[in-house]
Amino acid sequence: MIYLIKHFHVLSRHYCRQGSTSQKPCFKLATCNPNTANQNIHAYGAILIASLSLLMIMIYNCSDQVLATREKRQAKSREAAARHAKETTHARERWKTARDAAKNPKMGLTAQLSQTFSRMTSKKETPAKASGKSKEKKKGPSKIGQAPKGKQLHTQSQIFKYAYGQIEKEKAMEQNNQNLTFSGVISMAQDTEIKSRPVIEVAFKDLTLTLKGKHKQILRSVSGKIMPGRVSAVMGPSGAGKTTFLSALAGKTTGCTRTGLILINGRNESINTYKKITGFVPQDDVVHGNLTVEENLRFSARCRLSAYMPKAEKVLIIERVIESLGLQHVRDSLVGTVEKRGISGGQRKRVNVGVEMVMEPSLLILDEPTTGLDSASSQLLLRALRREALEGVNICMVVHQPSYTMYKMFDDMILLAKGGLTAYHGSVKKIEEYFAGIGIMVPDRVNPPDHYIDVLEGIVKPNSDITIEQLPVRWMLHNGYPVPHDMLKLCDGLPSSSGSAGQGDSTDNSFSNDLWQDVKTNVEIQKDQLQDNYSNSQDNSNRVTPTVGRQYRYFMGRIGKQRLREARLQALDLLILLVAGACLGTLAKVNDETISSLGYTYTIIAVSLLCKISALRSFSVDKLQYWRESAAGISSLAHFMAKDTMDHLNTIIKPLVYLSMFYFFNNPRSSFEDNYIVLVCLVYCVTGMAYVFAILYSASAAQLMSVLVPVVLTLIANQDRDSIVLKYLGSFCYPKWTLEAFVLSNAQRYSGVWVVTRCSSLSQYGYDLSDWVLCLIVLVLMGVICRFIAYFCMVTFKKQ
């Protein structure tokens, strides 16, 4: 036995000496130690550190330059198109003036002098302008801003010229006839039929909403109608149910029991059947802060307008909305986030409204769009909404304390009293007459809506014998609506009595009963939410939006711009990976005597932690934006697939960056390619797990899970293999398969007598040299399964 051991050591030293001298010569810039096959290649690592650091510095400082240059070129094209459109319009006006003057034979001396002076002025103009005017005279007025017949507008310059030409023509003709709509002006200029939007009329009869479990009525016996082509304002004191009323009209109320009817165009059907032509503006400004104003509007128009609409018409719609909302001077500015300031709050509010306006809705519901705006901005927004109403759009909005000028710009007013009851619903022109008829007069120099809200709030007492509680009853009697049974006593002027005051003793008010009722309520709310997320209603809007493939392409373009603007953050992630690779490669050395798994264990934890935290940003940052877009009908599958596709770039680059340091400082026997393949599979797996954390949990909880899970799973995977339970659990831990793949990639590089010394190490952990491909397949399957789970959770737990 002693002889065999001595003979084995002699053979091993002889094989090592031959492998290190004859079979594997040293590379340049590397050193070879005696009696080993490994080479000291730290010099290559230093070169890579310098080159990659230089590359990341360039990315960090020039990340946004590509988009900035592209935006400057587009801005120049737009400015040239706008200038061309204005010059063409002025030339057309002068041509019309000259034509009218030529038709009038009785021209006075003043007119002749003025005509002569205009001819002298025109001779001094540039040849380009003169040639443009001569061409305009030949064409006549109907050709200005019109798309060439039989041709498609391909270049960006042609599209902008067409869009701005149409807008200038609309402005000119709107001044001549204020009753014409924008669409009517365009259609009349093109000698075609007037283009109108589908009409949506919403009527509600005895609408009542009751919270499940609590049996509290938050909206009660509301009847009325909102009409197309009119702007309706919903007002009332705090807690009157204004937002709840709008949510009920938009079909977004969950966790409530609804009674009464909501009729769409006289038919009892869900408003969700008209989702593609219904716009809902939330109270919060849910827009993408790392996109410009124009990019936010363009994405909404691309995904929600008709798929058959030409690109030039979509650009015209976007330009018209930007012009009407007064966003022309900030169109290329970032909206801004909490960390990075962008446009002002009022401009952000108008962008929030413009995201819905660009999809040309037939029904537009706005929740407090003027909150936080000054008087000038509020009037600008309301004028833009009135232009939409002229095209037949049904607009309903919640407002707080409008000025007298804004108050007069509304067509209808809905006043809600406390308890969700209607105090008035009708024309603004008749509201003062109605309240004066019941003894409520508006004092001099007092804004009428402020006075009515003060009365409903109880701050100002009515000047008549009527009480605040009787106002909803008076309105019901005035219109012939049925009065609820418990409010009949108010018809005689008697004070309201609480008939259920003495019934509280018969109910069980114990803690266990309250807890059980709360649990039941939460379960019912979650059930309603799930049913609403998976409900497939019939589409009656007759609008064919882009397919999932086209929306996927639009998402890819948007996410690409966002990632370019976040390149500094990406460069920081890569820098951390570089430092981690250099540190872990230096601390955990691998030699020929042992296949040390310590360095690879550190690698699994470090790469998992860093890649998971960076992958969380894909879905945790813009949850609110996704909920708004999915509620509007934009494809969730396109959203998920585009983000996952963009993250594949990190799946390819990050292992390369980490290995560029770890491999040259650790000097493993396995090849660079084998280590890279294992790391790619690892990053793909942990990225899918990060998606699940980001979608299910809040940002802070998701980060905590991303830190704890790699450590816990690594500890479970490295426990004693004699325990059947731990061995079974370890099979579901990705660190177990990753570590096995790393060890096998090293063991496969040993040959000859070295295989004999490695067999005991491999058998101790239960590894088989033929399982290397199996480990990679398991990691990829885990990543795919995690992505399916993440997509299911994203669709299931989205909020309306």
Side-chain angles (χ1 to χ4, degrees):
M1 181 65 66
I2 296 174
Y3 172 76
L4 288 176
I5 293 175
K6 288 182 179 180
H7 185 65
F8 172 75
H9 283 293
V10 171
L11 286 176
S12 64
R13 284 197 299 270
H14 177 71
Y15 178 80
C16 177
R17 194 176 298 111
Q18 284 186 344
S20 61
T21 57
S22 61
Q23 295 182 358
K24 226 175 188 182
C26 288
F27 298 121
K28 292 183 179 180
L29 303 179
T31 58
C32 293
N33 298 323
N35 299 329
T36 181
N38 290 335
Q39 301 183 26
N40 188 352
I41 52 177
H42 293 176
Y44 293 98
I47 294 173
L48 278 173
I49 284 181
S51 58
L52 290 176
S53 300
L54 181 61
L55 178 61
M56 282 187 286
I57 290 174
M58 293 174 61
I59 294 175
Y60 187 85
N61 292 317
C62 306
S63 58
D64 203 18
Q65 195 62 40
V66 176
L67 291 177
T69 304
R70 183 172 178 269
E71 290 168 1
K72 286 180 181 179
R73 290 176 62 88
Q74 287 186 347
K76 290 180 180 179
S77 178
R78 284 194 302 266
E79 291 172 1
R83 187 165 53 251
H84 177 269
K86 289 180 180 179
E87 291 173 357
T88 306
T89 304
H90 294 332
R92 176 178 178 270
E93 293 299 325
R94 286 193 292 269
W95 177 79
K96 287 179 61 179
T97 303
R99 185 191 61 182
D100 295 339
K103 289 181 179 180
N104 187 7
K106 299 178 180 180
M107 185 181 299
L109 180 61
T110 306
Q112 292 180 3
L113 292 175
S114 130
Q115 185 179 9
T116 305
F117 179 76
S118 64
R119 283 199 301 265
M120 294 173 61
T121 307
S122 63
K123 290 179 181 180
K124 298 179 181 180
E125 293 181 348
T126 59
K129 292 184 179 179
S131 62
K133 293 177 186 177
S134 63
K135 291 179 182 178
E136 198 60 44
K137 291 180 181 180
K138 293 179 182 179
K139 289 180 181 179
S142 62
K143 298 293 183 181
I144 299 175
Q146 196 170 8
K149 293 184 179 180
K151 294 183 180 180
Q152 293 291 334
L153 300 177
H154 296 290
T155 65
Q156 200 75 12
S157 178
Q158 290 177 343
I159 292 175
F160 281 133
K161 284 182 181 180
Y162 166 68
Y164 282 107
Q166 294 285 48
I167 291 175
E168 290 295 330
K169 184 169 26 176
E170 292 166 9
K171 290 180 181 178
M173 299 197 69
E174 192 182 46
Q175 293 176 357
N176 295 331
N177 192 341
Q178 295 293 333
N179 295 325
L180 286 178
T181 66
F182 274 5
S183 295
V185 172
I186 297 172
S187 303
M188 190 176 68
Q190 296 178 346
D191 295 329
T192 58
E193 295 182 358
I194 296 177
K195 181 177 61 177
S196 61
R197 304 184 190 179
V199 176
I200 295 182
E201 177 188 287
V202 183
F204 34 93
K205 297 181 181 179
D206 199 23
L207 180 61
T208 302
L209 291 179
T210 306
L211 289 176
K212 291 184 177 180
K214 298 182 180 180
H215 304 291
K216 178 183 178 182
Q217 293 179 339
I218 55 179
L219 201 67
R220 190 175 187 188
S221 301
V222 178
S223 299
K225 183 187 296 184
I226 56 175
M227 302 289 294
R230 299 179 70 85
V231 180
S232 304
V234 181
M235 296 182 60
S238 179
K242 302 182 293 296
T243 301
T244 303
F245 172 69
L246 290 188
S247 300
L249 296 185
K252 297 180 179 295
T253 52
T254 56
C256 298
T257 302
R258 196 194 79 181
T259 58
L261 294 176
I262 296 181
L263 304 177
I264 310 298
N265 294 331
R267 292 175 292 183
N268 187 11
E269 55 187 2
S270 174
I271 191 64
N272 291 326
T273 58
Y274 297 90
K275 180 188 295 185
K276 293 182 180 180
I277 56 175
T278 301
F280 184 85
V281 180
Q283 182 176 356
D284 298 326
D285 302 331
V286 184
V287 291
H288 291 275
N290 50 7
L291 294 177
T292 64
V293 172
E294 182 184 358
E295 289 167 354
N296 275 285
L297 301 183
R298 189 193 304 126
F299 179 81
S300 180
R302 283 181 169 181
C303 291
R304 301 176 66 184
L305 286 174
S306 174
Y308 304 112
M309 181 179 290
K311 182 180 179 181
E313 292 296 328
K314 293 182 180 180
V315 173
L316 173 60
I317 293 170
I318 296 169
E319 295 297 328
R320 185 187 299 143
V321 170
I322 291 176
E323 185 78 21
S324 63
L325 291 177
L327 299 171
Q328 192 66 255
H329 60 290
V330 295
R331 62 181 302 156
D332 294 324
S333 302
L334 292 177
V335 174
T337 58
V338 178
E339 296 85 5
K340 187 176 182 180
R341 180 172 174 80
I343 59 178
S344 65
Q347 293 164 347
R348 186 185 180 96
K349 180 73 69 175
R350 280 177 271 163
V351 174
N352 189 35
V353 178
V355 167
E356 302 297 327
M357 288 177 59
V358 293
M359 51 83 64
E360 290 199 329
S362 296
L363 173 63
L364 184 58
I365 299 174
L366 306 96
D367 190 6
E368 301 185 19
T370 60
T371 302
L373 299 182
D374 54 43
S375 179
S377 299
S378 299
Q379 292 182 27
L380 178 65
L381 175 60
L382 195 53
R383 280 197 296 269
L385 294 176
R386 287 205 60 84
R387 291 193 191 100
E388 294 289 308
L390 288 175
E391 295 188 358
V393 182
N394 192 345
I395 299 177
C396 186
M397 55 190 295
V398 172
V399 291
H400 280 295
Q401 294 182 335
S403 62
Y404 185 76
T405 305
M406 285 185 59
Y407 163 68
K408 286 298 183 181
M409 293 176 71
F410 293 117
D411 296 313
D412 297 325
M413 182 71 68
I414 303 174
L415 278 179
L416 294 179
K418 288 187 175 180
L421 295 163
T422 307
Y424 178 81
H425 183 186
S427 175
V428 172
K429 298 178 180 179
K430 298 180 180 180
I431 185 172
E432 295 185 39
E433 177 184 351
Y434 167 77
F435 279 104
I438 60 177
I440 299 177
M441 307 295 295
V442 180
D444 295 337
R445 298 182 180 180
V446 175
N447 193 13
D450 293 341
H451 180 70
Y452 298 143
I453 292 178
D454 290 342
V455 171
L456 294 174
E457 188 71 51
I459 299 175
V460 177
K461 294 184 178 180
N463 299 328
S464 59
D465 296 334
I466 192 171
T467 61
I468 301 173
E469 291 81 6
Q470 289 177 323
L471 289 177
V473 178
R474 285 295 182 96
W475 174 252
M476 295 177 188
L477 296 176
H478 177 75
N479 292 275
Y481 298 146
V483 181
H485 180 72
D486 59 336
M487 299 180 68
L488 291 175
K489 294 183 178 180
L490 297 175
C491 299
D492 301 328
L494 298 176
S496 60
S497 59
S498 57
S500 61
Q503 299 177 3
D505 297 337
S506 60
T507 58
D508 185 10
N509 292 327
S510 62
F511 176 78
S512 59
N513 184 68
D514 292 342
L515 179 62
W516 175 246
Q517 291 297 329
D518 291 340
V519 171
K520 287 176 61 178
T521 302
N522 292 331
V523 170
E524 290 178 355
I525 292 174
Q526 292 294 332
K527 180 181 177 181
D528 291 346
Q529 187 74 46
L530 294 177
Q531 290 178 351
D532 188 68
N533 290 338
Y534 283 98
S535 62
N536 292 323
S537 56
Q538 183 182 0
D539 182 24
N540 297 328
S541 60
N542 296 325
R543 176 181 290 185
V544 180
T545 53
T547 60
V548 176
R550 287 184 63 181
Q551 291 188 34
Y552 169 79
R553 189 180 67 188
Y554 299 149
F555 270 108
M556 287 291 292
R558 187 182 76 176
I559 297 172
K561 293 176 182 178
Q562 291 174 323
R563 296 293 169 86
L564 280 176
R565 292 193 175 103
E566 296 173 354
R568 294 188 174 185
L569 195 58
Q570 299 287 336
L572 185 61
D573 292 340
L574 298 180
L575 180 61
I576 295 175
L577 280 172
L578 278 177
V579 175
C583 294
L584 296 180
T586 305
L587 293 175
K589 288 290 184 180
V590 177
N591 51 42
D592 288 331
E593 282 70 22
T594 59
I595 304 180
S596 177
S597 61
L598 183 61
Y600 287 121
T601 303
Y602 293 160
T603 294
I604 295 170
I605 296 175
V607 173
S608 300
L609 191 149
L610 295 175
C611 292
K612 278 184 180 179
I613 291 179
S614 61
L616 292 177
R617 295 193 294 265
S618 297
F619 289 94
S620 62
V621 175
D622 56 354
K623 273 187 180 180
L624 296 177
Q625 288 83 350
Y626 162 71
W627 290 339
R628 177 179 182 177
E629 292 170 354
S630 62
I634 298 179
S635 173
S636 297
L637 180 61
H639 173 88
F640 184 86
M641 292 299 296
K643 289 201 168 184
D644 187 37
T645 304
M646 275 295 174
D647 281 341
H648 288 341
L649 185 63
N650 288 330
T651 305
I652 296 172
I653 293 178
K654 287 187 175 181
L656 186 64
V657 172
Y658 178 83
L659 271 183
S660 63
M661 294 296 100
F662 178 82
Y663 187 83
F664 294 104
F665 282 94
N666 186 263
N667 295 340
R669 183 180 282 269
S670 57
S671 65
F672 188 92
E673 293 81 3
D674 290 345
N675 285 271
Y676 177 73
I677 293 173
V678 176
L679 274 183
V680 167
C681 297
L682 171 63
V683 174
Y684 182 79
C685 176
V686 299
T687 302
M689 296 180 66
Y691 291 167
V692 179
F693 298 153
I695 292 170
L696 285 180
Y697 304 107
S698 61
S700 58
Q703 290 178 1
L704 182 61
M705 294 289 291
S706 299
V707 173
L708 291 179
V709 167
V711 178
V712 173
L713 293 183
T714 303
L715 292 176
I716 294 175
N718 291 331
Q719 290 299 315
D720 189 5
R721 299 294 175 177
D722 295 335
S723 175
I724 300 177
V725 177
L726 292 178
K727 186 177 181 180
Y728 179 76
L729 291 176
S731 301
F732 295 95
C733 299
Y734 72 90
K736 180 258 183 187
W737 300 99
T738 310
L739 183 60
E740 182 175 353
F742 276 128
V743 172
L744 292 180
S745 62
N746 277 274
Q748 288 175 348
R749 292 291 172 172
Y750 287 90
S751 59
V753 72
W754 291 106
V755 178
V756 180
T757 61
R758 303 286 80 82
C759 288
S760 60
S761 299
L762 295 177
S763 61
Q764 180 181 357
Y765 291 99
Y767 295 161
D768 191 347
L769 286 174
S770 61
D771 289 343
W772 188 73
V773 177
L774 175 64
C775 297
L776 302 182
I777 293 175
V778 171
L779 289 175
V780 174
L781 283 178
M782 286 183 177
V784 173
I785 293 172
C786 287
R787 279 163 173 78
F788 275 109
I789 295 173
Y791 178 72
F792 173 77
C793 294
M794 186 180 73
V795 176
T796 303
F797 300 108
K798 66 181 179 182
K799 297 181 180 179
Q800 298 293 327

